[in-house]
């Protein structure tokens, strides 16, 4: 192995700072924890974590090289991903006035697979991971190095989304959500919709 503990520490720090910036995954898991509670939000958060970490794996396997060689593939993924985020936002906006769902009731798109698909709908993390990997680690990575880097990224993502789902499901925060559900859902829908539109329109 050529990867050092110091390099992994820098990788973790860089990833932690990036994850803290609010994106569609952060907004979605927070809203899910408010509405459904910790038990229902955790699988969704874990799906988001796995989806985000897969972009690291794709970057390690050379997906960003494909984006550079065949630029339209990145554009196509951005448009499709942006359209999916806009669709999620429209559903959230339309159902803002609905009563709170029964925590025992299964909601389409709110489980593990829904979370994974949501974070896979934005291909920009592939470019982020590619830039970070190139700037921190040596160019020649062994299969073992790549496995360690991916496991590190997955651990950080899982830790973050687990903590976020747990925090946002605290009784005090949930009571605040109950009191202002309509406006919180509308704001969350607006933010996710803007992120989707920016993904489609920004070059």
């Amino acid at each position: 192995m050529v990867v050092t503990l110091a390099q992994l520490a820098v990788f973790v720090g860089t990833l932690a700072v990036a994850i803290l910036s609010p994106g569609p995954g952060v907004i979605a898991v927070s809203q899910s924890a408010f509405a459904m509670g910790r038990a229902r939000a955790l699988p969704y958060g874990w799906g988001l974590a796995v989806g985000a970490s897969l972009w690291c794996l794709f970057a390690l396997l050379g997906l960003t090289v494909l984006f550079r060689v065949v630029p339209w593939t990145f554009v196509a993924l951005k448009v499709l991903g942006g359209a999916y985020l806009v669709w999620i936002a429209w559903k959230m906006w339309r159902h803002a006035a609905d009563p709170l769902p029964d925590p025992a009731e299964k909601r389409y798109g709110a489980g593990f697979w829904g979370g994974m698909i949501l974070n896979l709908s934005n291909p920009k993390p592939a470019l982020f991971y590619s830039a970070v990997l190139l700037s921190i680690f040596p160019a020649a990575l062994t299969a073992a190095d790549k496995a360690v880097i991916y496991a590190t990224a997955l651990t950080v993502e899982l830790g973050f989304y687990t903590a976020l789902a747990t925090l946002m499901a605290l009784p005090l925060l949930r009571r605040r959500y109950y009191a202002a559900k309509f406006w919180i859902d509308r704001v969350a829908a607006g933010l996710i919709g803007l992120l989707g539109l920016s993904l489609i329109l920004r070059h």
Side-chain angles (χ1 to χ4, degrees), residues 5 40 53 96 126 160 182 197 200:
L5 288 176
R40 289 295 310 278
S53 72
F160 171 76
F182 177 82
L197 288 174
I200 295 170

Side-chain angles (χ1 to χ4, degrees), residues 90-103:
W90 174 76
K91 283 182 60 182
M92 194 179 291
W93 182 279
R94 191 181 65 160
H95 293 291
D98 291 357
L100 285 167
D102 182 346

Side-chain angles (χ1 to χ4, degrees), residues 30-198:
S30 298
Q31 195 268 350
S32 178
F34 287 149
M36 305 293 288
R38 179 176 177 272
R40 289 295 310 278
L42 276 177
Y44 189 50
W46 293 334
L48 287 161
V50 171
S53 72
L54 284 177
W55 286 120
C56 176
L57 180 61
F58 297 155
L60 287 167
L61 296 177
L63 178 64
T64 47
V65 175
L66 173 65
F67 288 160
R68 285 195 293 270
V69 174
V70 191
W72 69 262
T73 57
F74 182 63
V75 175
L77 276 174
K78 283 206 327 175
V79 170
L80 289 173
Y84 179 72
L85 291 180
V86 170
W87 179 69
I88 291 289
W90 174 76
K91 283 182 60 182
M92 194 179 291
W93 182 279
R94 191 181 65 160
H95 293 291
D98 291 357
L100 285 167
D102 182 346
E105 175 192 343
K106 286 209 166 192
R107 289 199 310 169
Y108 174 75
F112 178 87
W113 293 108
M116 191 167 74
I117 291 169
L118 180 64
N119 258 352
L120 284 175
S121 69
N122 180 6
K124 283 191 172 182
L127 300 181
F128 164 78
Y129 270 114
S130 180
V132 169
L133 294 174
L134 288 172
S135 64
I136 296 175
F137 301 107
L141 293 171
T142 66
D145 291 324
K146 292 179 180 180
V148 168
I149 292 169
Y150 174 69
T152 301
L154 178 60
T155 300
V156 173
E157 298 279 3
L158 282 171
F160 171 76
Y161 280 107
T162 298
L164 184 62
T166 301
L167 175 66
M168 293 305 179
L170 290 175
L172 174 62
L173 295 178
R174 292 193 76 197
R175 284 196 298 271
R176 295 289 178 87
Y177 170 75
Y178 296 157
K181 175 185 181 297
F182 177 82
W183 294 111
I184 292 174
D185 285 6
R186 283 285 169 93
V187 169
L191 290 173
I192 291 177
L194 287 174
L195 288 166
L197 288 174
S198 69

